[in-house]
Amino acid sequence: MVAEDRQPVPDEPDVDLTRPNAARMYDYYLGGDAHFAADREAADRALARFPHAAGSARANRAFLDRAVRACLQKGIRQFLDLGSGVPTVGNVHEIAHHHDPEARVAYVDNEPVAVAHGDRLMAENPLVTVTLADLRNPREVLAAPGVAGLLDFRQPVAVLMVAVLHFVSDEADPTGIVATYREALPAGSALVLSHISDDQPTEELAAPHRAVAEVYRTSSTPAHLRDYPAIAALFTGFEVLAPGVVDARHWRPDEPRALEQDPCGFYAGVGWLPRPSA
């Protein structure tokens, strides 16, 4: 049974809670509690069309964990998480601080409820900030106090765009957006990215993603499906680490048997800006 919706707290910005939102729906898939009736109703409609949607969300979250660890292994200790969503178990700072308590994490989202939750949870942590901003405006994001005041862009930074660019329309130019962030990064930085797609091995695997995208068109965050070449092109300018841009379940799985599982529908990868050779 789902608890009744809480009342927004005084410091939480006004937001239309009658329209579902992708960040809060994702929180619902992951078992969080920062969602409202409209979010649950839309998420349940998505689950009716694609019963494995929650499992796909968890697989994408597990990719985030592995990718952050890979960045740490590359020596990166700063993270800019764009479209970070509602704080749930397994956030970037939890992963990073498990390995390096001094890692810095700047969260950015344009969903007021997500940011309000994050502000309350991270208020006492000087190494984590939460910023209300739109990733589609890179210069605004990069200049925000919670980003520019925490991260040192003279040192490597991992930019995370996990399960977010499919909410950016073609008209907004997602490739150009990624390029603008890339231009702000020093050598040794990384791009961690995943993106939902109906470009799947079979029509049986592709159809549910189109059905779920139809549900999201009724939300404040419509989804835009892209094919594999368009997603791979987002890594332009980066050296894509092995095993390349692959299904999120198949990106360096902790358990080899994961390679035998059906695709979860998220293409995922990690790109690196190599340091100049000596």
Side-chain angles (χ1 to χ4, degrees):
M1 179 179 294
V2 177
E4 293 182 3
D5 289 335
R6 61 177 176 79
Q7 294 297 315
V9 296
D11 64 337
E12 191 167 277
D14 290 335
V15 59
D16 182 3
L17 300 180
T18 66
R19 294 193 70 192
N21 175 273
R24 300 192 303 266
M25 291 170 67
Y26 193 69
D27 179 67
Y28 179 65
Y29 296 141
L30 293 174
D33 60 5
H35 42 73
F36 299 88
D39 308 309
R40 295 190 289 272
E41 189 276 331
D44 285 338
R45 282 192 287 122
L47 288 166
R49 299 184 182 198
F50 182 31
H52 301 298
S56 290
R58 289 191 294 271
N60 180 68
R61 195 72 172 187
F63 158 72
L64 172 66
D65 182 303
R66 300 192 301 275
V68 168
R69 284 187 274 136
C71 290
L72 290 164
Q73 289 168 1
K74 281 281 191 182
I76 298 173
R77 295 297 183 269
Q78 302 186 104
F79 298 85
L80 175 58
D81 189 358
L82 301 171
S84 52
V86 176
T88 53
V89 175
N91 280 303
V92 173
H93 74 280
E94 294 175 322
I95 303 165
H97 288 167
H98 178 74
H99 298 277
D100 183 350
E102 298 302 314
R104 295 172 180 253
V105 179
Y107 292 114
V108 175
D109 206 287
N110 67 349
E111 209 291 307
V113 173
V115 172
H117 273 261
D119 272 337
R120 286 192 292 275
L121 291 172
M122 310 301 166
E124 303 302 319
N125 192 331
L127 298 176
V128 182
T129 59
V130 185
T131 298
L132 180 64
D134 195 320
L135 70 86
R136 292 172 293 187
N137 302 314
R139 301 192 193 287
E140 174 186 321
V141 168
L142 294 169
V147 176
L150 179 71
L151 305 181
D152 180 358
F153 281 85
R154 296 169 298 180
Q155 300 297 323
V157 176
V159 173
L160 314 179
M161 297 183 173
V162 177
V164 67
L165 286 180
H166 43 254
F167 299 117
V168 176
S169 68
D170 289 340
E171 291 73 21
D173 187 17
T175 303
I177 290 169
V178 176
T180 302
Y181 285 106
R182 184 188 70 235
E183 290 164 3
L185 298 175
S189 294
L191 170 68
V192 175
L193 186 151
S194 67
H195 193 301
I196 200 75
S197 177
D198 62 343
D199 188 355
Q200 299 297 326
T202 68
E203 179 60 25
E204 182 181 7
L205 291 170
H209 299 296
R210 298 188 195 114
V212 169
E214 288 295 327
V215 173
Y216 277 88
R217 288 195 179 96
T218 69
S219 76
S220 61
T221 44
H224 305 272
L225 300 176
R226 295 187 172 92
D227 61 16
Y228 181 88
I231 296 169
L234 296 168
F235 288 93
T236 298
F238 291 91
E239 177 184 297
V240 179
L241 302 182
V245 181
V246 297
D247 187 81
R249 277 201 177 109
H250 303 159
W251 196 90
R252 300 189 181 184
D254 291 324
E255 294 290 338
R257 61 185 177 184
L259 294 169
E260 302 170 4
Q261 295 179 318
D262 285 338
C264 70
F266 285 92
Y267 283 117
V270 175
W272 188 53
L273 284 178
R275 298 180 185 276
S277 57

